[in-house]
Amino acid sequence: MTMPFYVAPEQVMKDRAEYAQKGIARGRSLVATTYDQGIVIVAENPSRSLHKVSEIYDRIAFAGVGKYNEFDQLRVAGVRHADTKGYAFSREDVDARSLANLYAQFLGNVFTHEMKPLEVEILVAELGDQGRADQLYHVAYEGTISDQDDFAVLGGDAETIAERFRTRFRRGWTLPEALVACVAELAGPERELGPSDLEVAVLERGAERRAFRRVQGEELARLLEEGRAAGAGPAEGGPVDG
Amino acid sequence: MSLPIFPPGADPGPDFAALLRRVEPAALPWWLGGAGGPPEGARGLRDGRPGHLPHGTTVVALRFADGVVMAGDRRATEGNFIAHRSMEKVFPADRHSAVAVAGAAGPAVEMVRLFQTQLEHYEKVEGVALSLEGKANQLGQMVREHLPMAFQGLAVVPLFAGYDLRRQTGRIFTYDVTGGHYEETDHAATGSGGRDARTTIKLGWRPGLSRAEAIELAVRALYNAADEDAATGGPDAVRGIYPVVALVTAEGYSRVAEDEVAARFADLLARGLGRER
């Protein structure tokens, strides 16, 4: 029997992290932010049928970047977890925090115990109600979980985009304003993104039990138009005064 | 609870009942493949008749110009007792369909809850909603699995109706206890007062009814059913309890406000309904 070469654990983890980061960096990024009526998630995604952003439950949405088959498996698991819990207990008992924790545990487990880490980063967004604030849980490939109140950026260029986005973000802005900012910062200074390059969905406060809604086609084009006309126009890319 | 992830060969797909069977069998009733077995003896029966458990009674559905109207009375009975005065028997199944139930109240409501979850689960996992025909088939399978309970006197007989977005019309499906389902062309009624309700609808129905006419016909049918059948509850002006009336159109499911149903009844009474002795 041959003995395997000894590799220091630090090196193993470093190699795995590098591998996962490379995989994630190959895909396009995604921005989620709160606005006056809810949460909007904007992903760069030319496909109309392979979604990066999806519905999990009444007030919970899911978004993933990286390898499609891997985050889609996690999405389906989330739907299954939420529906099972809501059926066994009650719809009110389904919350994003416990789901995000499950994702974190699963990703952490795979990262340390499996040959190959998952090349994904995911976002679990929950629309707040009755005094509870909106929540954005960001779970990284190795199971690190962080929760954000205002906005979250996922993907290869996350840091640069988040840096730029921070200067534009305003609490309580409208959907067109938020959309235009998301699209501009996803694109960066050198590119332009049109409605056909984008996948947009919102969790919207309102009468409907299921708050998740896709914003697409003419509605998306109209909202972008509105946002550009409403004042993001003059200070191209610069901070917007509150 | 852990994250429900399955190996490719053992994936339950978009089937919610199959998923529950795997991860939370205690939450499923045994007759839908959950934990436990059939109850010993026939506990729901008293002298061979379903006496101990609440039973829901009359529900109706009819097509009109924009889709379908579905309505149900509010009474549940335990033998000759009134178990509930304000039970609801008409439910949204999903955005574009409705389900109404007659029969043993407990299993009926449980079946509706599972059916609702099943439709939403499928839509979320697959990314598209089932066709109306697919939904009707799903419900038929649940009724069929419930057949052993029907033999113990705990039958559940649903009525399913929805707006078919592909054909752009309202459609109605009726069921028998074996899970057999049949598409009705224009209207349907089931439950203990179903026969009387059907007679009323048959006399008053014509193609292209307006929304107001359709609601009026549905409540009139329930009134006549309550007039003849002791287990069907009529309008209760003293307590302010009126039938549940729901519409399913291209815009989706909507429940008609109780005030409007009360006003329809007042209207019908003013025009002579119930004056015959």
Side-chain angles (χ1 to χ4, degrees):
Chain A
M1 204 179 101
T2 53
M3 289 287 286
F5 287 109
Y6 173 76
V7 185
E10 290 90 339
Q11 191 58 45
V12 176
M13 293 303 155
K14 222 179 120 210
D15 288 352
R16 281 189 189 164
E18 215 165 273
Y19 179 85
Q21 280 162 1
K22 262 190 202 157
I24 293 164
R26 268 196 291 272
R28 304 291 191 188
S29 303
L30 165 162
V31 184
T33 175
T34 58
Y35 67 99
D36 58 355
Q37 294 300 320
I39 300 171
V40 57
I41 306 174
V42 184
E44 188 179 346
N45 183 5
S47 170
R48 291 284 77 93
S49 53
L50 303 175
H51 295 300
K52 288 181 168 181
V53 187
S54 310
E55 175 185 19
I56 294 269
Y57 211 62
D58 296 351
R59 310 177 72 80
I60 304 176
F62 172 98
V65 296
K67 243 183 141 187
Y68 176 80
N69 66 324
E70 293 182 349
F71 69 71
D72 197 59
Q73 185 192 24
L74 294 174
R75 172 189 72 85
V76 172
V79 171
R80 286 177 174 159
H81 168 78
D83 278 346
T84 308
K85 198 172 172 189
Y87 187 79
F89 302 108
S90 113
R91 298 197 83 89
E92 294 164 40
D93 297 315
V94 180
D95 65 323
R97 189 190 49 83
S98 75
L99 180 61
N101 272 326
L102 284 179
Y103 280 137
Q105 279 169 21
F106 181 77
L107 285 167
N109 239 328
V110 171
F111 184 76
T112 40
H113 297 297
E114 304 281 326
M115 270 290 287
K116 182 190 103 57
L118 294 178
E119 298 155 65
V120 296
E121 262 183 70
I122 57 176
L123 175 84
V124 183
E126 182 176 39
L127 193 63
D129 68 335
Q130 294 166 357
R132 282 191 308 156
D134 299 340
Q135 284 297 340
L136 302 166
Y137 295 97
H138 177 178
V139 189
Y141 58 88
E142 83 298 24
T144 312
I145 177 169
S146 61
D147 92 64
Q148 269 118 4
D149 290 337
D150 297 331
F151 68 91
V153 185
L154 280 72
D157 298 326
E159 271 172 42
T160 7
I161 296 175
E163 205 62 41
R164 290 199 304 260
F165 196 79
R166 190 164 292 121
T167 61
R168 289 187 73 151
F169 175 80
R170 276 191 302 121
R171 196 160 289 141
W173 51 0
T174 64
L175 180 58
E177 288 169 346
L179 253 179
V180 166
C182 289
V183 174
E185 298 316 335
L186 269 180
E190 270 114 58
R191 291 191 309 153
E192 280 266 331
L193 290 175
S196 60
D197 309 311
L198 299 167
E199 181 185 351
V200 178
V202 290
L203 286 169
E204 210 169 33
R205 253 178 280 281
E208 293 265 316
R209 171 172 65 80
R210 292 166 73 178
F212 183 87
R213 191 168 65 82
R214 293 190 186 282
V215 178
Q216 47 200 359
E218 277 172 33
E219 187 190 4
L220 178 57
R222 183 174 51 76
L223 285 170
L224 283 171
E225 199 92 338
E226 250 173 64
R228 290 205 178 98
E236 200 61 73
V240 179
D241 297 326
Chain B
M1 276 183 170
S2 65
L3 207 55
I5 286 190
F6 303 95
D11 196 289
D15 182 350
F16 183 69
L19 171 70
L20 269 190
R21 227 164 276 152
R22 302 276 295 281
V23 298
E24 196 78 35
L28 257 191
W30 68 267
W31 47 268
L32 284 168
E40 281 173 42
R43 286 194 194 133
L45 306 189
R46 178 193 279 166
D47 309 328
R49 280 178 293 117
H52 284 183
L53 293 164
H55 273 63
T57 42
T58 310
V59 291
V60 302
L62 58 108
R63 281 198 320 124
F64 73 110
D66 304 330
V68 285
V69 174
M70 219 177 208
D73 76 309
R74 304 291 288 271
R75 182 170 291 177
T77 53
E78 290 179 25
N80 57 322
F81 296 105
I82 293 176
H84 292 287
R85 291 178 212 285
S86 57
M87 185 195 169
E88 304 210 343
K89 304 165 192 173
V90 180
F91 305 89
D94 70 352
R95 281 188 181 126
H96 284 100
S97 63
V99 57
V101 284
V109 171
E110 189 156 32
M111 189 183 286
V112 167
R113 211 157 81 85
L114 188 71
F115 183 53
Q116 290 168 326
T117 311
Q118 169 70 66
L119 297 188
E120 189 183 318
H121 187 74
Y122 182 97
E123 186 189 329
K124 288 190 292 195
V125 170
E126 292 290 304
V128 284
L130 272 169
S131 65
L132 196 68
E133 197 107 24
K135 295 173 199 171
N137 275 329
Q138 279 280 312
L139 186 58
Q141 285 166 24
M142 283 181 197
V143 176
R144 191 183 61 217
E145 289 190 55
H146 188 258
L147 184 60
M149 295 288 272
F151 285 133
Q152 300 196 10
L154 298 175
V156 173
V157 186
L159 207 55
F160 178 68
Y163 189 84
D164 192 325
L165 291 164
R166 294 174 208 188
R167 298 195 195 175
Q168 304 203 328
T169 176
R171 296 172 74 186
I172 299 170
F173 297 85
T174 53
Y175 294 79
D176 62 31
V177 289
T178 64
H181 54 287
Y182 317 95
E183 181 164 3
E184 303 291 332
T185 47
D186 303 315
H187 50 76
T190 188
S192 61
R195 183 193 288 247
D196 301 300
R198 201 175 304 127
T199 310
T200 307
I201 296 178
K202 209 182 265 175
L203 290 171
W205 194 86
R206 57 182 172 74
L209 287 173
S210 71
R211 177 184 183 276
E213 290 168 333
I215 294 172
E216 189 180 297
L217 186 55
V219 296
R220 188 202 292 267
L222 288 176
Y223 179 90
N224 285 337
D227 219 23
E228 301 296 329
D229 172 36
T232 302
D236 188 340
V238 177
R239 295 189 181 83
I241 299 171
Y242 293 93
V244 175
V245 182
L247 307 174
V248 188
T249 63
E251 280 76 53
Y253 177 97
S254 64
R255 185 168 164 173
V256 178
E258 202 145 63
D259 294 348
E260 191 182 339
V261 179
R264 282 283 158 244
F265 263 120
D267 220 30
L268 281 171
L269 291 173
R271 288 187 353 235
L273 182 75
R275 276 208 205 125
E276 68 277 12
R277 301 241 161 157

